[in-house]
Every structure is written in structure tokens, then in C-alpha cells.
Amino acid sequence: MKAKAEQAKGKAKEAVGRITDDERLTAEGRAEQAKGDARSAKEKMKDIFKH
């Protein structure tokens, strides 16, 4: 759940960064998306090992 929130927040930041031509904000958005992706992968691995 937290992973999806991070991914969504990152996508929003990236979109705002693109619209406002703010490279820093765009990069932050991409980084948050990557963090969310990593968290999601970690959660999936936990689920695999639980079963």
C-alpha cells in the first residue's frame, strides 16, 4: 500500500516538474517512483516467501 502511494506521489511530482520545467522536481518524482517500485518488489518477495 505504501509503495503505491510513493509511486503516485512520484508521478505527480514528475508531472508538475515537467509542466513547470523544473528539472529538480522532475528528478525527485522519478526517484520517488523508483523508491516505490523497490518497496513494491520487496513486498512481493515477502508474499512469495510467506506462502
Side-chain angles (χ1 to χ4, degrees):
M1 187 73 166
K2 195 171 185 180
K4 295 289 182 189
E6 281 180 328
Q7 290 168 336
K9 185 178 173 184
K11 285 181 183 184
K13 267 190 179 180
E14 184 179 3
V16 171
R18 285 184 181 170
I19 291 168
T20 61
D21 202 27
D22 185 342
E23 291 181 23
R24 184 184 61 82
L25 193 58
T26 302
E28 284 179 16
R30 287 183 186 151
E32 283 191 31
Q33 286 181 62
K35 187 177 175 183
D37 291 342
R39 186 180 302 271
S40 178
K42 180 180 169 185
E43 290 171 1
K44 286 180 184 177
M45 291 303 291
K46 281 183 180 179
D47 288 343
I48 289 171
F49 287 109
K50 277 185 181 179
H51 300 289

